[in-house]
Each structure stands twice: as C-alpha cells, then as structure tokens.
Amino acid sequence: MKKFERFEGVVAPLDRANVDTDLIIPKQFLKSIKRTGFGVNLFDELRYLDEGQPGQDCSNRPLNPDFVLNQPRYQNAEILLTRRNFGCGSSREHAPWALEDFGFKVVIAPSFADIFYNNAFKNGLLLVRLEEDEIERLFQETEEREGYALDVDLENQRIITPRGEILEFDVDEFRKHCLLEGLDDIGITLQDDAVIRQFEQQHREQRPWLFR
Amino acid sequence: MSAKTLYDKLWDQHLVKQRDDGTALIYIDRHMLHEVTSPQAFEGLRLAKRKPWRLDANLATADHNVPTTLIERAEGNKGIKDPVSLIQVQTLDDNCLEYGITEFGINDPRQGIVHVIGPEQGATLPGMTVVCGDSHTATHGAFGALAHGIGTSEVEHVLATQCLLTQKMKNMQVRVEGELGLGVTAKDVVLAIIGKIGTAGGTGYAIEFAGSAIESLSMEGRMTVCNMAIEAGARVGMIAVDETTIDYIGNRPYAPTAEQWEAAVADWRNLVSDPDAEFDKIVTLDADEIEPQVSWGTSPEMVTGISGQVPDPEAALDETIKRSHVRALEYMGLQPNQKITDIQLDKVFIGSCTNSRIEDLREAAKVAKGKKVASNIQLAMVVPGSGLVKRQAEEEGLDKIFIEAGFEWREPGCSMCLAMNADKLGAGEHCASTSNRNFEGRQGYGGRTHLVSPAMAAAAAIAGHFVDVRSLPANDANHAQEA
C-alpha cells in the first residue's frame, strides 16, 4: 500500500444520499479476478447511457453529459464529496478498488456504511466524516467555484478550504497509522502469531466441537 | 461480573488481543468462501508466500455466477457460457484444490448459496464466529453466532491469520413483541424493521433480534431476519439460542455428536443476553401491526404495507429524502399515491440467501397450488438455495406444484438476486422478488425490484400484480405460515 501524503485535490460533488456499492460498481464487473482496472466502470450506470459489459472498451461508449464526473471541470478530481450513508449494501471491495483506480484518494460524507468503511482504509482510500452543515457548505463552495480544491492533511486530521477554513475530522489511530505508513494489516497481525496460537489451543480445549 | 449481552459474550469468547489503539483481534471459527470475493485474496496470499492458517475452518462453494438451468448444470463448469464467469468459478476450484480447502463444487448435491449451506451442514454452530466475503453473512447470527460480512482484504487476513482485525460494535436490541398475523412472515418482519429504522439505522451496531414474535419463528424465519440486518446498516444480526436452535442442529453432518454434543448443548444454552444486560439502543415493534410488506423504491427502507400506497415526495421530511424519493419514483416508473396493489408485474423471483430454504418454498407452493401464473408474467422462477433444499422440495412434490402453475424450477444459486448469471430483468421490468436488495440495476440494467415474502411473491405471480396474501381463500395463503 502506498503511503498517504498530504495533498491538494479537486473536489467532485455527488449530490446523492445512500449511494450503494451496486451503484459504485455494478455486479457484471465483479467477475474479474484482479484488483485493478475497475476505474473505467466506476458509477457505470450513472456515467454511461448504455449498459456496460466487462472487458469492453469504454472509450466509444455514450457518456451521460449530466453526470458530474463527465463534466470537464471535475475531470481530475481526487476528492469525492457526497451525502450520508455512502457505500451501503454489498461487501464488495471492488467499490473502493474502483474509486481508487479512477483516481479518488478521499471521500467526504456525513456518514459511511460499516463494511465499506473498513474496505476503503485497507486500500489506502481515506474516508472523512464531517457534519451535515459542513458538507452542505462544501457542496455550495464546490458548485460556486470551478477548480475548487481542498488540502487534505491526515497527519493533523484536518481539511483546509481555499478560504483558509479548517475542518477537523476524527479517524482512529490504527487506521491513520496504517494509511500514513502504507502498512499491511496481515504483517502486523502475524507479529502476534504466538498469541493467536496460544488462544487457539485454549479455545480448542474449551470448545472442541468448533474444530471439525 | 456485570451483565452481558449475547454479543458481549460472543466477543469475549473470541477476543485474542485487545490493542491499545482501540482495535482488536478476534478468532474466527468458520470462514465461508465463494468465487466472487476470494480470488484476489488467494492471489494476495500467493504473492506474500503465505498459507492458510487452519484449513478445516474453511468451507467453499460457487454460488454467485453459476447458471441455474438443468441443461447448463448437467455440463458442470463447462455449462457456464459466460467465459468471465467461468474463469471465476474455475479459479475458486483451483485455489481450493491448491490449498486443500473443502469445496462443494458446481455439481456436488451439497452445493448452494453459502448462507444456506453453512447452517444446512451444521457448519454454522451457536457460539461460533463466522465470516464470509459477503454482506449477508449476518444470516448465520440466527444461531447465536457472531457473523460478519467482510471485504476481500479481510478474507485474505482471515485466511492468513485465522483472526479478524476489528473494533467492538455497540449493542442494539430490536424487539418484536406479540403475535404475527396469518400470512405475515419473517420477511415482512425484517422489512418492517428496516422501514422503521432506515438503511443506516443499525450502522455501528450489532443487532440482537428478540421478543416473542422473533422467538416464535422457525430457524428458516430467523435466518431471513438476520440475513437483512445489513439492509438496516448493521454488519451483525443475531438471535439468542433456544430449543428451536438446538433442534435444528442435531444430526447435521458437521454438528458435534455423542458426548461432545451434550457438552456443546450445555454451553450453547448460555448464549442469551443476561436479563439485566444493557443495550445502547432498543427499538420495539408491535407484531400485530405488521402487515405483508412490499418495497416500492430503490432502497430497502422504501417499503410499505400491502394496503398502503407509494408515498408522495412532497410529503418527505427533508430535502435529501424528497430528492431520493423523486429519483426512486422516476426509476421505478411509479406515481405518487399509487396503490401498491395496482403495481403490475413482469417477472417473479423466488430464491436468494434471504428466502430459498425449504420453508420458503413450502409457503410459496401453498399459494401456487392448483393456480396458474398470470398471462402478463413473462417469467416466474423458483431457485432453491441448495441442492439439498431442491431434493427435499422434490420429495415433498413442491416442484410439481410450481411447474404445473407455470413457474420454472431451477438449479441452486444466487441467480436473479444480483443477476451475475443469465437470470436477470430487462430494462423497465417490474419484479416481485424474495431477495434482499432493490437497488438500481441490482437485478438487471434498468430492472425494477419489489421486495416481498415468498407467499406474497407467489400470490403476485398468480394475480399478475400485488395482492394481499391474507385476502386469498382459505386452504392456501392463510395457512402459509403454519408450514
């Protein structure tokens, strides 16, 4: 995993609540056995006017001109601004893979679904929860100013707007540490390999019927 | 010692290590695998030169991509016409073979939807932690187990370490008290719960379903309720152990036997919340007030009773809700204030990890018996949850009832719940579906899903539109829930 560094990125507003993982990446694209290449099909049903197929060349597909990511001003967006309960539904990790592959590094919303929240951090995608009124303000400012960009400073858990306003956010220590250092969970857990073995042995003695 | 909830007890029994940073390692007893969320996890293991920690904790099957017609299934993997799907199923076979993981392959009579076969085999037991790369893993919580849906990185983590790195959730209890009316099923209960608390109402919580109406449910019904916990935002749903639980498990292939059975049962009886345990949140529903439910929108919280109508977005509580209602009605092709019983249907799907078990098929068959599917229904299909459910249904003659009524009787798999195989809706088609998600495009590009119980789906197939299953003549629907 790449280390998450402070950056300034263009914001794309997706003004919609309860964006589910089927919408982020429709099921026909889950048939891949790879982790990459999902970006061209991110929000496929919103982004294109036809039905997408896996492995298809998307460069000639008809684009939906109304969809935010198709508008020239948001072409290089790295921050997605959206509404509450983003990422609800299926556990498919293809959702954060698609967001990242497209080029997003951060998603900002009032709330996220639990499984998506876990999956995102495990892939280096930072999710930032802000208050509803802060989100509302960011939507307005993004709309008003072309090229609207935010400075994302994970180390200090803050986002700085072009006007210099500072929005602080919470993130748990472990997830923050893994993102900043680009660490792999499995390697960290396996440092406790003896503790796991000891627990397992005791668990087996107490409840042998669980081991069959 | 302070009083504990069922979730607290399961958590404590599996806590390997609590870390200072707030995260914890919990030990995983059962890991179910399927073809869609596992290939990248095995690839990760291989690249890091790691091996699965404990082979016998794993059980795999292919369910999401498999075709469901007999002709295709007769050819095994070769019957999978879509080359991309075939690669995925073949990759699961290869990975299980390479690492020595037990897999019920496409033509194994025990093959089926992971959340049907785990309990069916006794591979899901009370007091277990169960994970699977699938959000409907909460299903297994019906057995007094702690069951989480996980992502692919977590699948790899569990394979490599036998642990899940997680944080303790908050406790929520959803109590459904009283007696359910005739024709009102577990599916209606859980849809009513989601309608009440919303799709984010359970976010951050482990939900324990309790109360006399929940206790009165069979294991099949309890699985239906826990299955949809994620549709209320909760990763975990669970129900305390009682005689119904223990009776279901006895004599199943993976269940303990002889002395171990006695010891296990004694242990399982403690898997209930202490009477004075405290929950962070309690929600109560009155069972008498729940009527058969039908979803009208593109989120499971967009649901109402069969006697209700499609809401008017103008009456929405806030601007965000209003906008989502407007969008949902446009997508669904429905009008504000339209009566639910006036919604005309094109297809009917009875199946999925929510409603494809034997009791579900019996309920639907009772309604369909001696009737014919309406002429406006282009396709009505019944997809059993496993090869063993299919076999049992055939022994009971349910297949003949469905076929004579004009339903197609298929081979087991996830099928049209998420349309990864050939079973899907066309654009604009309305479907009465016993599955769990009515998201845009879920059952096919432009498809319009209405979530209902098996009895309501069968009744809708016969009428061609939604009808109140309670209004049907005696000897069919009114006895549906007695099965």
Side-chain angles (χ1 to χ4, degrees), chain B residues 61-75:
Chain B
T61 197
D63 55 5
H64 283 59
N65 271 296
V66 298
T68 59
T69 66
L70 189 57
I71 291 179
E72 292 164 301
R73 287 291 276 273
E75 293 179 67

Side-chain angles (χ1 to χ4, degrees), chain B residues 90-128:
Chain B
Q90 190 64 52
T91 303
L92 179 68
D93 292 351
D94 294 347
N95 283 326
C96 289
L97 192 67
E98 178 184 339
Y99 289 104
I101 288 171
T102 303
E103 185 199 10
F104 297 161
I106 191 165
N107 278 356
D108 190 309
R110 299 167 296 176
Q111 178 272 343
I113 307 174
V114 283
H115 310 309
V116 174
I117 68 170
E120 185 173 77
Q121 291 296 318
T124 301
L125 295 174
M128 270 186 167

Side-chain angles (χ1 to χ4, degrees), chain B residues 135-157:
Chain B
S135 59
H136 292 111
T137 308
T139 310
H140 307 261
F143 290 83
L146 175 55
H148 296 77
I150 57 176
T152 297
S153 294
E154 290 171 316
V155 169
E156 185 182 336
H157 189 278

Side-chain angles (χ1 to χ4, degrees), chain A residues 15-16 22 27 30-32 34-35 89-90 93 114 118-119 174 189 192 199-200 203 207 212, chain B residues 17 21 27 29 40 53 82 85 88 151-153 156-157 204 235 254 267 418 420 437 440-442:
Chain A
D15 193 358
R16 189 168 170 135
D22 276 79
K27 71 264 166 185
L30 311 189
K31 296 179 184 182
S32 168
K34 301 198 177 82
R35 277 178 197 255
S90 138
E93 202 156 314
D114 281 350
N118 274 313
N119 286 343
F174 180 73
T189 299
D192 281 322
F199 176 91
E200 187 172 54
H203 193 50
R207 299 188 169 84
R212 41 188 286 137
Chain B
K17 184 176 181 178
D21 55 27
Y27 188 82
D29 297 312
Q40 294 89 349
W53 180 281
D82 176 351
S85 292
Q88 211 165 42
T152 297
S153 294
E156 185 182 336
H157 189 278
R235 260 180 121 171
Y254 282 71
D267 188 52
L418 85 168
M420 279 190 76
R437 290 194 175 128
E440 289 184 20
R442 171 82 178 179

Side-chain angles (χ1 to χ4, degrees), chain A residues 27, chain B residues 35 62-69 73 111-113 348-353 356 379 381-385 408 410-425 433 435 442-444:
Chain A
K27 71 264 166 185
Chain B
E35 78 277 21
D63 55 5
H64 283 59
N65 271 296
V66 298
T68 59
T69 66
R73 287 291 276 273
Q111 178 272 343
I113 307 174
V348 174
F349 170 62
I350 298 175
S352 85
C353 58
S356 63
L379 172 69
M381 60 194 299
V382 183
V383 186
E408 291 191 13
R410 297 291 188 92
E411 299 298 308
C414 298
S415 181
M416 214 196 328
C417 173
L418 85 168
M420 279 190 76
N421 68 355
D423 309 335
K424 54 184 76 166
L425 297 182
S433 177
S435 55
R442 171 82 178 179
Q443 291 193 290

